[in-house]
Amino acid sequence: MNIQVAGYGIICAIGNDASAVLESLKAGRTGIGPMHYLQSVHKELPVGEVKLSNADMLRMLGQDETTIISRTVLMGAIAIRQALEQAGIATEGKRVVVINGTTVGGMDVTEHFIRQISEEDDLLPLLKKHDCGSSTRQMADLAGLADAEVCTVSTACSSAVNAIILGSEMLKAGEADIVIAGGTEALSLFHLNGFNSLMILDKEQCRPFDKSRAGLNLGEGAAFLVLTHNLVKSEELRVKNNSHKLECMGNSDSSLLTPNSSLYIRGYGNRCDAFHQTASSEDGEGAYLAMCDALQMAGLKPEDIHYINAHGTGTPNNDASESAAIRRVFGEEIPPVSSTKGFTGHTTSASGAIETVICILALRHQFLPANLGWKEQDEACIRPYGNSTLINSKFKTGICTSVLCNSFGFGGNDSALVISSVPTGSSPEESRFKSEQLAEATILSADGELDGQALRQYISAGEARRMSLLMKASTLSSMQALREAGIECPDAIITATAYGMLETSEKFLNDMLEQGEETLSPTLFMQSTHNTLSSAIAIRLKCHGYNMTYSQGSDSLRWALRDAKRLIETGKARTVLVGLHDEATPTLQNIFRRMGKPVPPRLYSRSIILGRSPASD
Amino acid sequence: MEQLIKDLKLQIKEALNLEELSLEDFDADAPLFGDEGIGLDSIDVLEIIVLLEKEYGIRLANPKEGKAIFKSVRTIAEYVQANRKK
């Protein structure tokens, strides 16, 4: 079974649709520049903004331009509409699933109105659209997919690639007919200041892999793919493979790759670096494993990959670590590599989908996108392809049919995709095993008190100093469940959370609003992303396996369990740690009271261990 | 100088939430980073940079500059004394 890309949409700093993006890529034209729409005091920081106001986007979507809707939602809806239009497939009567990768959700609206919201009940409904799950629902509705099932994946900057991976898995398992997968993220004061507190933003245009690189530029945007499953018959595959071979021999006239060629998500890998919340390991273990998995699933050797779109943020740490990983996979024969973040800026949760669409454009239109900003070789880094786009490259002779797209996130959530014009022809994935629950541990605390003795069993004072209450609770329930199941390190870790890291996020937001956009705490920001919990447990257990975080309101646990069962039933994992971790800070409890809703407990953490049932061996 | 060292110890302990560390055991010459000594890491460097800006009006643009400054509480105190704006 092959996962076919039936359509795609994109909106980012270098264009509001695929053809504009293509033009900018070919011309080597960056979209990074002075801030225009984001209202920050940090004017010294260049950003990759989408060149449209919220009112412009509302008009494009046929909405009243005074409506208050998050930019994250607006950009996502625009990209989905483009993708659906290009795919031109009827969704009626089909099982359609929208899978969105995002982290900030409706933060741009929340940070703007939070002070008014705290006083005016009329504005409370704005907060209902803040969390990732609600913003994904709103985006799907705006895109005309009110009947579709929706899911949000939130693994920080690798979110969108993990959304594409989940979509592909669901299609392979026969759980959906059409998947619309990708990611969206608007610039917010929250994460601009967060990245700034980590001192990884460059005041100049970013220079991925360059010796003088000094950090990243943030960007914003959205991209979505329409994915379908496509059973390629063996005869058809033989013909396709033969014509591919002919082309590889230099028969460029019978170009197989045209702007209308079919493209496939041929392989993917999701791994965890299990090293640090905000830094990548020196040898890039997580990235290395993700790339290896992607190649293996694709049935390709390193030499079959002819272009790598690197994560390449431009920070000294990421680029050196990613280079080490690429060298480990490809040895001396490294294919052309470029980071396109010099065009778009780092579009965080959306970056994986934006760069997947850039890979698709590169394959279909036969060019190698530039690594803008690169001038001087750094020994610690791979040498990227070049700082100008090469048109009519080797692609033209058909040598290149498969590309690799890397996407890494905080906490070491590292993923990779192989996109190819040649299908694999493998048979549909079958459920071979049965899963069963091995253990469970639950912590419920109405007031936030935790059992100190139990905590000290697993968490040292040195570790505890940086952990929020929810981190402590989730670690405790996870360790208790693992102990009960007699497992030291599970094959996979999956977290479900409706609201994520509220205590730390709220504190960071309050500090920013009260003391201004200076001297903010990096510790609070690095613990604000939803995937903090899953990756912290992976770091503790040194678990390099599959690592995933779902944030879809009250459906989050259902999605996490579904994923865990699929991993076990298809033989990809033997044991999975699934956790539902949520907290209600006093502020959130107050909001629930004002809305007249039942007030959730301060802490709730439930960890479940799923394993392969012996009956199925 | 001794008062500044005392202040810094308290401020660092608070900013980094070093609850278990008593001020008496907090040696002004002990290495702050690495396995021997207090055992702080790169995120703590960023927190100390925030602290210096908040308390003493000192702005460090590049964490790498901090390497020599952040060896111990005493080296931080010497730097603060020479560069403080408040």
Side-chain angles (χ1 to χ4, degrees):
Chain A
M1 179 180 285
N2 282 274
I3 305 304
Q4 188 171 353
V5 180
Y8 48 86
I10 184 168
I11 177 167
C12 64
I14 54 169
N16 299 334
D17 58 32
S19 63
V21 168
L22 175 66
E23 206 179 298
S24 297
L25 286 169
K26 283 187 166 178
R29 193 165 54 230
T30 183
I32 297 169
M35 227 174 262
H36 184 68
Y37 296 104
L38 187 70
Q39 301 296 312
S40 166
V41 301
H42 292 295
K43 298 288 178 216
E44 77 281 8
L45 297 170
V47 286
E49 287 180 316
V50 165
K51 310 294 183 282
L52 292 170
S53 68
N54 287 21
D56 292 335
M57 287 193 265
L58 283 161
R59 266 196 304 275
M60 286 166 77
L61 290 163
Q63 301 293 311
D64 177 352
E65 59 186 74
T66 59
T67 320
I68 300 166
I69 299 179
S70 163
R71 220 168 146 80
T72 302
V73 170
L74 296 173
M75 295 186 308
I78 288 171
I80 291 177
R81 283 198 185 181
Q82 291 170 2
L84 286 170
E85 192 180 330
Q86 193 194 40
I89 44 175
T91 54
E92 291 80 21
K94 301 270 175 63
R95 291 169 303 162
V96 182
V97 183
V98 176
I99 306 171
N100 181 28
T102 193
T103 302
V104 303
M107 182 59 90
D108 56 329
V109 169
T110 303
E111 67 189 14
H112 192 76
F113 289 100
I114 191 71
R115 282 183 166 155
Q116 281 168 268
I117 293 170
S118 59
E119 285 157 17
E120 296 170 40
D121 282 353
D122 291 355
L123 291 172
L124 270 176
L126 285 178
L127 277 187
K128 286 187 185 166
K129 302 279 191 276
H130 169 83
D131 68 284
C132 293
S134 305
S135 70
T136 299
R137 180 71 265 172
Q138 192 184 19
M139 174 187 75
D141 293 352
L142 261 181
L145 295 168
D147 295 331
E149 200 178 1
V150 295
C151 176
T152 310
V153 164
S154 194
T155 58
C157 298
S158 58
S159 299
V161 158
N162 282 330
I164 294 169
I165 292 176
L166 171 66
S168 304
E169 287 286 289
M170 287 183 73
L171 287 167
K172 284 183 187 175
E175 295 173 34
D177 301 314
I178 299 169
V179 166
I180 293 117
T184 179
E185 199 120 287
L187 280 165
S188 73
L189 294 178
F190 184 90
H191 75 284
L192 182 94
N193 280 287
F195 277 88
N196 203 29
S197 77
L198 291 169
M199 300 183 92
I200 51 173
L201 295 181
D202 197 336
K203 293 185 180 64
E204 311 291 324
Q205 169 101 17
C206 69
R207 300 170 298 286
F209 299 109
D210 186 69
K211 198 170 182 179
S212 74
R213 69 191 184 282
L216 58 91
N217 305 139
L218 282 171
E220 64 178 356
F224 280 87
L225 309 180
V226 176
L227 301 173
T228 55
H229 44 77
N230 176 20
L231 285 165
V232 180
K233 293 188 187 81
S234 53
E235 175 60 17
E236 201 181 323
L237 185 71
R238 197 181 56 76
V239 174
K240 277 206 173 202
N241 272 340
N242 276 347
S243 55
H244 164 56
K245 270 177 205 150
L246 270 180
E247 222 192 335
C248 288
M249 287 155 69
N251 190 355
S252 61
D253 292 338
S254 69
S255 178
L256 189 78
L257 282 165
T258 69
N260 299 315
S261 293
S262 294
L263 292 175
Y264 306 90
I265 304 297
R266 187 162 161 160
Y268 39 81
N270 161 318
R271 291 292 201 130
C272 190
D273 201 33
F275 176 70
H276 190 272
Q277 276 305 335
T278 55
S280 304
S281 61
E282 211 169 299
D283 63 353
E285 182 70 6
Y288 166 78
L289 293 170
M291 286 188 272
C292 290
D293 284 358
L295 286 173
Q296 195 191 6
M297 183 190 281
L300 296 173
K301 294 194 244 3
E303 59 264 35
D304 299 324
I305 297 294
H306 293 92
Y307 167 63
I308 302 172
N309 187 295
H311 187 58
T313 58
T315 65
N317 173 249
N318 175 81
D319 296 1
S321 172
E322 185 172 11
S323 293
I326 290 173
R327 283 173 174 155
R328 284 173 71 191
V329 177
F330 292 90
E332 296 294 308
E333 300 293 321
I334 299 174
V337 184
S338 70
S339 158
T340 44
K341 290 194 168 63
F343 285 95
T344 58
H346 186 0
T347 55
T348 53
S349 294
S351 65
I354 284 176
E355 286 154 29
T356 296
V357 171
I358 289 175
C359 286
I360 290 169
L361 292 172
L363 270 170
R364 285 192 158 174
H365 298 272
Q366 303 165 32
F367 68 96
L368 289 173
N371 189 105
L372 292 183
W374 186 84
K375 279 197 185 88
E376 198 184 342
Q377 172 78 48
D378 178 358
E379 270 179 31
C381 289
I382 52 97
R383 186 188 176 92
Y385 166 69
N387 54 18
S388 61
T389 297
L390 187 72
I391 299 167
N392 293 332
S393 65
K394 285 180 181 172
F395 278 36
K396 192 68 183 171
T397 58
I399 289 171
C400 179
T401 48
S402 299
V403 303
L404 181 71
C405 184
N406 281 345
S407 200
F408 312 145
F410 275 0
N413 271 139
D414 296 344
S415 291
L417 282 185
V418 171
I419 306 137
S420 178
S421 59
V422 187
T424 53
S426 59
S427 51
E429 219 157 62
E430 282 167 26
S431 292
R432 294 181 290 153
F433 306 100
K434 285 196 165 63
S435 61
E436 63 174 13
Q437 184 171 319
L438 302 179
E440 180 173 348
T442 302
I443 291 165
L444 173 69
S445 172
D447 53 4
E449 283 296 314
L450 289 168
D451 178 351
Q453 209 181 340
L455 273 180
R456 274 190 293 279
Q457 239 184 305
Y458 300 104
I459 303 168
S460 73
E463 290 167 334
R465 74 185 174 96
R466 254 193 216 150
M467 294 168 82
S468 70
L469 279 174
L470 187 61
M471 276 186 91
K472 287 178 185 162
S474 64
T475 305
L476 191 54
S477 74
S478 300
M479 298 307 286
Q480 285 174 341
L482 285 167
R483 175 179 279 192
E484 191 192 321
I487 293 166
E488 271 184 33
C489 181
D491 293 337
I493 299 173
I494 304 175
T495 292
T497 181
Y499 299 106
M501 306 293 288
L502 271 188
E503 184 189 348
T504 38
S505 306
E506 201 182 296
K507 183 139 194 349
F508 189 86
L509 183 61
N510 283 340
D511 286 351
M512 187 176 87
L513 295 173
E514 278 164 24
Q515 72 192 45
E517 297 177 61
E518 302 287 349
T519 62
L520 294 164
S521 162
T523 311
L524 290 178
F525 179 67
M526 78 170 187
Q527 289 183 10
S528 71
T529 56
H530 296 68
N531 66 336
T532 305
L533 301 169
S534 253
S535 53
I537 294 163
I539 292 167
R540 173 173 297 272
L541 302 174
K542 296 193 173 51
C543 176
H544 292 290
Y546 180 85
N547 196 295
M548 191 73 153
T549 299
Y550 290 92
S551 183
Q552 190 58 49
S554 54
D555 279 342
S556 304
L557 182 61
R558 192 174 59 82
W559 281 104
L561 285 171
R562 204 165 153 181
D563 193 4
K565 281 183 184 154
R566 198 183 304 116
L567 286 175
I568 290 170
E569 286 166 9
T570 54
K572 292 191 181 85
R574 274 180 167 270
T575 54
V576 185
L577 165 63
V578 180
L580 170 64
H581 313 295
D582 262 304
E583 62 179 330
T585 57
T587 315
L588 187 78
Q589 290 181 334
N590 189 31
I591 289 166
F592 271 78
R593 264 183 224 111
R594 284 170 63 199
M595 286 178 178
K597 284 182 168 184
V599 176
R602 176 70 186 84
L603 291 170
Y604 182 79
S605 174
R606 179 176 166 208
S607 291
I608 301 162
I609 312 288
L610 289 189
R612 186 189 288 179
S613 165
S616 61
D617 274 329
Chain B
M1 188 65 162
E2 285 313 305
Q3 186 55 43
L4 181 58
I5 287 178
K6 216 173 150 189
D7 292 347
L8 274 166
K9 279 186 190 174
L10 196 66
Q11 287 156 351
I12 290 171
K13 182 180 148 95
E14 245 173 51
L16 306 183
N17 208 7
L18 296 162
E19 278 174 24
E20 303 275 306
L21 185 72
S22 77
L23 288 177
E24 291 74 47
D25 294 341
F26 198 170
D27 184 353
D29 294 303
L32 289 174
F33 300 93
D35 295 334
E36 296 162 30
I38 313 293
L40 303 183
D41 68 9
S42 60
I43 296 297
D44 296 311
V45 172
L46 299 174
E47 289 289 355
I48 297 175
I49 290 175
V50 169
L51 185 160
L52 294 187
E53 184 168 352
K54 266 189 186 168
E55 302 290 338
Y56 304 101
I58 295 172
R59 278 194 118 149
L60 270 177
N62 184 353
K64 277 185 189 155
E65 288 173 43
K67 242 184 175 173
I69 306 163
F70 298 153
K71 269 187 196 157
S72 67
V73 173
R74 190 178 303 281
T75 57
I76 297 177
E78 283 161 1
Y79 182 78
V80 167
Q81 198 156 38
N83 296 281
R84 65 189 302 170
K85 307 254 164 17
K86 59 180 181 186

